[in-house]
């Protein structure tokens, strides 16, 4: 194996992944626009708002900045609790060699759909919705060299 890692994703890593994909999409853009608009509206109209409307403005301004991230983290905690075995994944010229519990598989490089490089992780997609999340914690100092290696193997 050219590279081999054994890991179990944490709730924080799964939360980061969800937040990257939410706020890197059109949904995230809408969330940001809504939050900015509600804050601007709340500030400009605050003196003339009733207490009920002030409460709604505060609730709405916290919706995507506090409430949603907490809800996503709770979901990530449940997902992380469901991961009962370490994943060992190896990379060589033939592809990815994956061992989880007593199940093993080989994924040829031609079957890898996409590689996504985020600030705190690299995600290798086996299809449009499934993949392997390798965080900086797992990759350590190999991150840059590892990314260059896998990027050279995946046809874009």
């Amino acid at each position: 194996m050219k590279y081999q890692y054994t890991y179990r994703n944490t709730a924080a890593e799964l939360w980061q992944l969800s937040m990257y994909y939410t706020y890197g999409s059109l949904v995230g853009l809408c969330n940001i626009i809504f939050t900015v608009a509600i804050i601007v509206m709340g500030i400009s109209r605050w003196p003339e708002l009733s207490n009920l409307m002030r409460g709604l403005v505060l609730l709405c301004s916290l919706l995507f900045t506090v409430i949603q991230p907490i809800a996503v983290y709770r979901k990530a905690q449940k997902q992380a609790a469901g991961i009962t075995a370490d994943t060992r994944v190896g990379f060589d010229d033939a592809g990815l060699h994956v061992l989880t519990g007593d199940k093993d598989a080989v994924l040829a490089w031609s079957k890898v759909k996409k590689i996504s490089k985020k600030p705190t992780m690299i995600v290798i997609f086996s299809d449009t919705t499934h993949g392997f999340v390798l965080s900086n914690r797992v990759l350590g100092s190999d991150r840059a060299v590892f990314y260059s290696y896998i990027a050279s193997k995946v046809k874009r």
Side-chain angles (χ1 to χ4, degrees), residues 1-7 87-98 109 122 124 134 138-153:
M1 291 295 139
K2 187 147 177 95
Y3 295 95
Q4 186 167 322
Y5 303 101
T6 301
Y7 67 96
T87 299
R88 186 172 65 204
V89 61
F91 302 86
D92 63 17
D93 292 337
L96 287 72
H97 304 270
V98 184
W109 287 115
I122 294 174
I124 303 165
L134 298 167
V138 173
L139 295 171
S141 61
D142 289 345
R143 178 184 162 87
V145 177
F146 172 74
Y147 181 76
S148 295
Y149 175 74
I150 61 172
S152 71
K153 297 294 180 185

Side-chain angles (χ1 to χ4, degrees), residues 49-56:
L49 293 177
S50 68
N51 286 339
L52 175 64
M53 290 306 292
R54 286 179 181 180
L56 286 174

Side-chain angles (χ1 to χ4, degrees), residues 95-111:
L96 287 72
H97 304 270
V98 184
L99 177 66
T100 303
D102 59 350
K103 298 176 185 175
D104 64 340
V106 176
L107 182 67
W109 287 115
S110 61
K111 301 291 183 191

